[in-house]
Amino acid sequence: MNLKKFTPAIAAIAAAGLLASGCSSNDSGADPAENAATGAPIKVGQIIPIEAPGLASINSAEGAIASVDAFNARGGVNGRPLELVQCDSMGDPNKEVDCANKMITEGVVATIADFTPANNEGTSQVLQNAGIPRIGLNPLNISDFSATNVFTPFSGSLLNLYGMIDILVADGKTKLTLMRPDVPVAAMLIQLLGPAVQAKGAEIVNEVAVGAGATDYTQFIAAAERNGAQGVIMALGPTEANPIAQSFEQLGSKLSFALGSVGFSQADLQDLGTFATSSKYTGVVPAPSSSTDDFPGLKDFLADMEKSGKKELELENLTGDEMNPWLAVRAFGEVANGLTDINKSTVQMGFENAKDLDMAGLVPAWTPGAVEPFGIFQRVSNTMMYRMTFDGDVVVTDPTQYDLRTS
């Protein structure tokens, strides 16, 4: 299989809005703790689109700032604070590479929770050639799944689509519709997902391309119902969810929708009515509104987000994107605390040798170097996923995970 031909399709998933949108700033309202880090700072970076309509990732950007601030307030790395060098790529392919070069000139020892949807391959090449490890990257490109400087416990937006297939088939839905953006590169998705669907004894009977700026969304629901379809793999984001939901209600559709949980806040889903309560969700981390009895680690995460004082990081507005940088900072701290000298080379080696990093019970204990192929993706270290439902108020996450490799 030609891997590179699917690269535009993977990037299209990001462009479609499967990740949250917005903008970010570098100020924080976190109060210093008595044991706050005061030593020589350790520079870490984040490449992320901030002022980028359609691609901006406010919650991940703000989540990274809040995570670093909270980590520093607890003492940092043996008393040394992290200094976050956050570079706004503006969703521009050339600026993404410029940001990668900035990480080199700034002397960062690693990047944290990068999101580079416009030029994954170019950005990856610059950082890999510079020997800068990337921790907690949201992989969106074949190069992200093959680069040896990438260490991430997150399966990314693309593999989340495989999770949607799993939860639909597990619910007895074997005739599926793929609902995707109406852009040429996204047309490749059916080739990418088709074999996985067939392997589970199911089939994609409809492919529905949703055009930007459409005024009549009932046509898309009607098209999705053809040929006896029972379920929908929704490769669309929150922007399209509202008109899709309204059309779903208007037509009284009986289709079952599967969505990625990341990107939808509790407030978003509360506005989507029966569509939201009848849909099924999947993700690599539990939803922020999940039970802290089932996921005690959420208490620390939510406390750190609340300390920021940012409206975007209030519980009802959390989308799950914030958990990526929070866990990445946590993993970096655990590895760096065991290093005598901290630079990009020792951090790289530290992650290669680390075992069973404590991820607060939100993802399985993580051994970053334990990577195996998954389908066409060469280096995947975590294929465990959660199933979720929305009860009309909060997202409820089933604490029993399932494995994409065996489900």
Side-chain angles (χ1 to χ4, degrees), residues 27-273:
D27 58 328
S28 171
D31 296 326
E34 291 182 4
N35 62 338
T38 57
I42 300 165
K43 287 188 176 182
V44 296
Q46 185 187 39
I47 303 171
I48 194 161
I50 297 174
E51 296 184 16
L55 280 178
S57 187
I58 182 172
N59 287 60
S60 181
E62 293 285 10
I65 296 167
S67 299
V68 167
D69 286 347
F71 179 78
N72 289 340
R74 287 191 288 271
V77 178
N78 296 321
R80 297 178 62 186
L82 299 184
E83 178 183 335
L84 180 62
V85 179
Q86 196 174 67
C87 186
D88 179 9
S89 69
M90 297 185 171
D92 179 270
N94 294 321
K95 289 184 179 179
E96 279 188 4
V97 172
D98 290 343
C99 283
N101 284 315
K102 180 178 181 178
M103 298 298 120
I104 298 171
T105 58
E106 289 281 352
V108 305
V109 302
T111 62
I112 300 292
D114 288 340
F115 175 38
T116 54
N119 192 350
N120 306 75
E121 195 163 356
T123 305
S124 179
Q125 184 176 1
V126 170
L127 294 174
Q128 186 168 19
N129 289 345
I132 296 175
R134 307 177 76 183
I135 316 304
L137 172 75
N138 183 348
L140 292 167
N141 186 287
I142 295 299
S143 61
D144 296 336
F145 286 101
S146 58
T148 55
N149 65 323
V150 170
F151 301 97
T152 182
F154 311 113
S155 56
S157 300
L158 184 64
L159 292 194
N160 209 36
L161 294 176
Y162 288 84
M164 296 180 204
I165 295 167
D166 282 351
I167 60 175
L168 286 170
V169 173
D171 194 41
K173 310 298 189 274
T174 57
K175 291 187 175 183
L176 307 179
T177 290
L178 172 63
M179 192 173 282
R180 62 162 178 86
D182 188 11
V183 293
V185 291
M188 299 178 186
L189 286 174
I190 196 164
Q191 300 175 53
L192 190 61
L193 299 175
V197 172
Q198 292 172 9
K200 296 183 181 298
E203 59 180 326
I204 295 177
V205 296
N206 302 306
E207 182 182 13
V208 178
V210 178
T215 55
D216 178 16
Y217 278 76
T218 59
Q219 62 179 307
F220 303 126
I221 296 293
E225 292 178 329
R226 294 173 186 153
N227 300 314
Q230 302 160 307
V232 178
I233 307 164
M234 190 169 174
L236 299 168
T239 301
E240 293 82 11
N242 191 55
I244 289 289
Q246 291 174 350
S247 298
F248 174 89
E249 300 271 9
Q250 182 178 343
L251 295 178
S253 178
K254 302 300 183 183
L255 286 170
S256 293
F257 279 74
L259 299 81
S261 60
V262 169
F264 291 92
S265 70
Q266 182 177 333
D268 289 334
L269 294 175
Q270 288 171 347
D271 290 336
L272 298 183

Side-chain angles (χ1 to χ4, degrees), residues 379-391:
R379 303 181 78 253
V380 180
S381 66
N382 176 31
T383 53
M384 302 300 293
M385 305 285 286
Y386 290 105
R387 295 182 178 91
M388 307 170 201
T389 56
F390 181 64
D391 67 5

